[in-house]
Amino acid sequence: MKFPRFAYLLPVAALVLATATACEDEPTATPQPAPEALLVAHTWRLDETRLDGQVTGSGATVKDRYTWQFIRGGAYHQMLTADNTMTHGSWQLADKDVTLQLIDHKGELLGYTIKQLDASTLKVSWLRGAEVYENTYSAQ
């Protein structure tokens, strides 16, 4: 029995078809903005405070509630919502973008571990002694 001339192309065609079908089934990942882009895209309002997992303030009950505005290039503004008092400092991301480092208006270095950062929420935590503090900010 003689094979047609195109018979040798059948395995190649099957492979191409299988590859094309497999590619269609794979979900396409939506690229997430870089952490720096998310930080500078919004003003962040402090909406919840926790100490060792327990809520200590939420919404208007947060003591000394404030907002952060991060500026590309490393500056930030902090404004107390009670009286609009504004202070300024500098910031940077470290440790592969999981640590937010601030130098406040007094020159003190503050380090926060970023627990969540997306288009609507910034959640940071830090240790003071044996106590774990956590603040949640919402994008404005």
Side-chain angles (χ1 to χ4, degrees):
M1 178 173 180
K2 212 173 183 186
F3 287 103
R5 290 184 188 185
F6 65 87
Y8 68 90
L9 292 176
L10 288 176
V12 174
L15 182 60
V16 169
L17 182 60
T19 303
T21 303
C23 290
E24 290 176 14
D25 294 339
E26 294 177 16
T28 55
T30 305
Q32 296 297 317
E36 180 178 348
L38 287 168
L39 285 174
V40 301
H42 308 284
T43 297
W44 298 95
R45 182 184 65 208
L46 178 59
D47 280 337
E48 184 178 84
T49 56
R50 290 177 177 259
L51 175 58
D52 292 328
Q54 299 297 316
V55 175
T56 57
S58 181
T61 66
V62 173
K63 184 179 183 218
D64 299 328
R65 194 174 192 192
Y66 60 88
T67 61
W68 275 337
Q69 182 180 14
F70 297 99
I71 310 299
R72 192 171 304 281
Y76 80 92
H77 309 299
Q78 180 175 313
M79 185 179 72
L80 289 173
T81 57
D83 63 4
N84 294 335
T85 300
M86 181 92 61
T87 58
H88 310 279
S90 60
W91 71 278
Q92 70 178 10
L93 291 171
D95 303 323
K96 297 183 181 178
D97 297 339
V98 297
T99 301
L100 174 61
Q101 295 178 332
L102 303 179
I103 297 177
D104 68 10
H105 64 287
K106 299 174 188 173
E108 183 177 351
L109 176 63
L110 309 169
Y112 301 97
T113 300
I114 298 174
K115 298 297 205 176
Q116 180 182 351
L117 176 57
D118 56 41
S120 61
T121 305
L122 167 62
K123 188 179 289 188
V124 298
S125 68
W126 69 98
L127 288 172
R128 186 177 300 150
E131 298 176 321
V132 179
Y133 291 82
E134 185 176 271
N135 286 354
T136 302
Y137 302 82
S138 62
Q140 302 300 296

